Amino acid sequence: MTQDDLLTRAQAWLAEDPDSETREELARLIEAGATDELAARFSGTLQFGTAGLRGEIGAGPMRMNRSVVIRAAAGLAAYLKAKGQEGGLVVIGYDARYKSADFARDTAAVMTGAGLRAAVLPRPLPTPVLAYAIRHLGAVAGVEVTASHNPPRDNGYKVYLGDGSQIVPPADAEIAAEIAAVRSLHDVPRPESGWETLGDEVLEAYLERTDAVLTPGSPRTARTVYTAMHGVGKEVLTAAFGRAGFPPPALVAEQADPDPAFPTVAFPNPEEPGAMDLAFEAARAVDPDIVIANDPDADRCAVAVPDAHVEGGWRMLRGDEVGALLAAHLVHKGATGVFAESIVSSSLLGRIAEAAGVGYEETLTGFKWIARVDGLRYGYEEALGYCVDPEGVRDKDGITAALLVTELASVLKEQGRTLTDLLDDLAVAHGLHATDQLSVRVEDLSIIANAMATLRERPPVRLAGLTVVSAEDLTKGTESLPPTDGLRYHLEGAYRARVIVRPSGTEPKLKCYLEVVVPVGDGSELATARATGAEVLAAIKRDLSEAAGL
């Protein structure tokens, strides 16, 4: 694109931008002749990733703003009408991030102008409430305005169809084509009214449904510390805990209420270093049984347990550990159906399912795939996402997951045991499944592309001294999986070591998922097995980083 083309495109965008803030921002860039910055914003358009649109708030088609959202809503409306859904209901939810309420209102206006019916949730609420509302209200589609656990400057736009699941191919490409066909925002009718703002009836129905994940009469004694991570989870989680009869969670006051600036954390993601520090501080003061955290839109659930062997006395459980614990709990409760997980999650779920005689399936990364598994009873992925009530919410749900893990902690507490004890039992029964992640956050996305290209051109032959016995390029698909941008390696030997490398679909990260399985004879071998697992994982991480040129 020449400089003249760039300026022409920026000025055309400026002329129809409905937001005074982004208009002023873009006008300043044009006036300053900020060619590099303009090029970054106008080099393309935001594309649907693992979880819809997501990006930094700002002016231009490569940022999240009202112009991008209006076009996205118009494309979705055109897609729905082309599918014969004229007059159908679209339900819209939003979190408490910057611009979320504006994006939700714009979406409602576009749907109304297109001849669809629109209903907006009454205030910022957890994403699972929106996912529940779609099926509860018989909607033909749903939109959630959220950037989940991304940095404060980001926002996003998740699209669900009437089955309550997020969009997958070919729907995403068909919607993208309709978005691209929007020539001018002036062609998109946006009435000032005509949509419905819902009351609390949907939230009440969701809360009534949350009780369904618990066993009637089960112990409800576990005490928790809870952080909402400056997001929208507090109101709904505390209400759900109260209805269930659990002790009220001790709240991390500094992070309890919504705040789009996320002032106490570098990244509002429980997995990020330092994000749980205030929660652990609160735990040391009140001595609960477990610590629970939601991410800002409360679709993820993190769990921490007391551990005298780590500094500060509390340890975050990996998503794979919580995934296995919830699976074991559901098996104990007599759950039937299919247990499913993404390919980047621990193979331990398959062992648990096989031993229990329940179905098991692997999918691509993202709950848009997990939620579509036939006969799904339970689904999870390692990034703290758990679907424990697929008939209610066909997506990850950090509220019901928190209820279920607290029920499990209560059951174990009555037996004089802990979540850690149950993890030990699973390791003895199925082998110690040790997992880790090499995650590289970048400013320059070409670093990710170059690393993937390097691994494709020169795949590693050995990792941690173990021969790579199979190297799959997942862009070609497999017998059971559609194509995706990823690489999968299996290593020789008794450890059944496995590595998967993929670009993140939601953040500028390259993510490498590592697993080794260390055989365990009995409980006396666990400490040695953990040390072995950590050693092998560290060596794989080191060698993989070198092979990828990172």
Side-chain angles (χ1 to χ4, degrees):
M1 199 185 318
T2 68
Q3 188 166 344
D4 286 346
D5 290 340
L6 183 62
L7 285 173
T8 299
R9 193 170 179 202
Q11 286 162 345
W13 187 275
L14 178 66
E16 61 179 29
D17 189 338
D19 189 322
S20 61
E21 289 184 26
T22 46
R23 270 202 317 273
E24 291 170 12
E25 176 190 14
L26 184 54
R28 285 195 303 270
L29 292 172
I30 293 171
E31 186 176 347
T35 306
D36 289 348
E37 182 62 25
L38 288 170
R41 293 162 182 257
F42 287 88
S43 59
T45 58
L46 286 181
Q47 300 297 313
F48 281 102
T50 305
L53 297 171
R54 200 175 287 185
E56 185 176 344
I57 294 172
M62 287 293 287
R63 299 286 186 268
M64 282 298 299
N65 51 64
R66 290 183 61 198
S67 297
V68 163
V69 164
I70 290 166
R71 289 172 181 274
L76 174 60
Y79 168 85
L80 293 171
K81 290 166 72 173
K83 296 295 184 184
Q85 305 287 5
E86 179 88 37
L89 174 67
V90 179
V91 61
I92 302 152
Y94 59 103
D95 66 11
R97 283 178 176 267
Y98 297 119
K99 301 285 185 184
S100 285
D102 294 339
F103 295 167
R105 186 172 59 250
D106 282 332
T107 301
V110 171
M111 295 302 161
T112 303
L116 292 146
R117 292 179 295 126
V120 184
L121 293 182
R123 58 188 172 280
L125 287 167
T127 292
V129 177
L130 180 277
Y132 169 81
I134 294 166
R135 298 175 73 206
H136 177 70
L137 297 174
V140 298
V143 170
E144 175 71 15
V145 180
T146 181
S148 190
H149 58 280
N150 276 40
R153 63 181 182 271
D154 289 3
N155 212 329
Y157 199 80
K158 284 186 180 180
V159 177
Y160 299 75
L161 295 181
D163 63 355
S165 299
Q166 294 179 52
I167 56 170
V168 295
D172 54 357
E174 292 172 9
I175 294 169
E178 296 286 3
I179 294 170
V182 178
R183 300 184 67 85
S184 168
L185 292 193
H186 301 310
D187 299 334
V188 181
R190 301 198 311 277
E192 293 292 320
S193 61
W195 57 89
E196 178 185 3
T197 300
L198 297 166
D200 279 345
E201 299 84 6
V202 170
L203 177 58
E204 277 299 308
Y206 169 82
L207 285 169
E208 285 180 21
R209 177 85 201 182
T210 60
D211 294 343
V213 306
L214 303 175
T215 301
S218 64
R220 311 283 166 92
T221 56
R223 295 178 305 109
T224 58
V225 160
Y226 170 71
T227 175
M229 205 65 70
H230 298 295
V232 297
K234 180 188 76 171
E235 174 196 349
V236 180
L237 182 133
T238 54
F241 270 55
R243 295 167 78 108
F246 289 113
L251 302 178
V252 179
E254 302 94 328
Q255 299 175 333
D257 296 318
D259 187 336
F262 304 105
T264 68
V265 291
F267 292 95
N269 178 355
E271 292 180 294
E272 293 283 349
M276 294 290 288
D277 286 356
L278 287 172
F280 293 161
E281 186 179 309
R284 287 189 288 273
V286 302
D287 193 28
D289 297 295
I290 57 174
V291 172
I292 289 174
N294 285 140
D295 66 339
D297 69 325
D299 63 349
R300 297 168 193 248
C301 176
V303 181
V305 295
D307 188 336
H309 298 101
V310 300
E311 185 178 350
W314 283 84
R315 177 174 74 89
M316 268 277 288
L317 295 181
R318 291 188 172 276
D320 284 319
E321 292 176 306
V322 178
L325 287 168
L326 291 176
H329 187 41
L330 288 167
V331 165
H332 183 73
K333 286 156 71 86
T336 58
V338 179
F339 284 20
E341 64 179 342
S342 62
I343 57 171
V344 299
S345 305
S346 170
S347 60
L348 176 56
L349 183 68
R351 310 279 184 276
I352 293 170
E354 182 182 15
V358 300
Y360 169 74
E361 193 164 324
E362 269 191 332
T363 74
L364 294 183
T365 307
F367 267 82
K368 63 184 182 181
W369 298 108
I370 293 171
R372 285 182 158 75
V373 168
D374 286 341
L376 181 68
R377 174 59 187 87
Y378 168 63
Y380 100 91
E381 68 180 4
E382 54 73 44
L384 310 182
Y386 314 96
C387 175
V388 300
D389 178 25
E391 290 305 305
V393 175
R394 290 192 180 177
D395 199 0
K396 54 186 178 290
D397 183 345
I399 306 297
T400 49
L403 286 171
L404 197 62
V405 79
T406 307
E407 179 186 54
L408 173 57
S410 299
V411 169
L412 293 167
K413 185 177 182 178
E414 296 296 296
Q415 301 168 359
R417 306 178 75 234
T418 66
L419 297 180
T420 306
D421 293 329
L422 181 52
L423 285 171
D424 289 349
D425 292 349
L426 292 172
V428 171
H430 306 290
L432 178 74
H433 288 64
T435 60
D436 200 358
Q437 192 179 124
L438 170 62
S439 180
V440 182
R441 183 182 292 273
V442 300
E443 293 289 334
D444 180 0
L445 291 177
S446 68
I447 294 171
I448 294 175
N450 291 340
M452 294 296 290
T454 297
L455 289 171
R456 285 191 168 101
E457 291 165 10
R458 297 187 299 277
V461 177
R462 293 173 70 80
L463 295 170
L466 303 170
T467 300
V468 177
V469 292
S470 72
E472 298 171 274
D473 187 342
L474 298 177
T475 55
K476 300 169 184 174
T478 70
E479 286 185 12
S480 58
L481 297 171
T484 188
D485 187 7
L487 301 164
R488 180 164 59 183
Y489 308 115
H490 290 280
L491 312 185
E492 68 172 351
Y495 294 147
R496 301 202 299 272
R498 182 208 68 190
V499 175
I500 295 173
V501 184
R502 59 178 282 273
S504 171
T506 57
E507 298 177 89
K509 284 183 174 181
L510 181 69
K511 302 182 101 172
C512 310
Y513 306 84
L514 324 176
E515 180 179 52
V516 299
V517 183
V518 184
V520 178
D522 58 44
S524 67
E525 299 178 13
L526 279 169
T528 301
R530 287 198 179 92
T532 300
E535 183 181 328
V536 176
L537 287 171
I540 292 175
K541 188 186 289 190
R542 180 194 64 231
D543 293 351
L544 182 65
S545 182
E546 183 178 334
L550 295 171

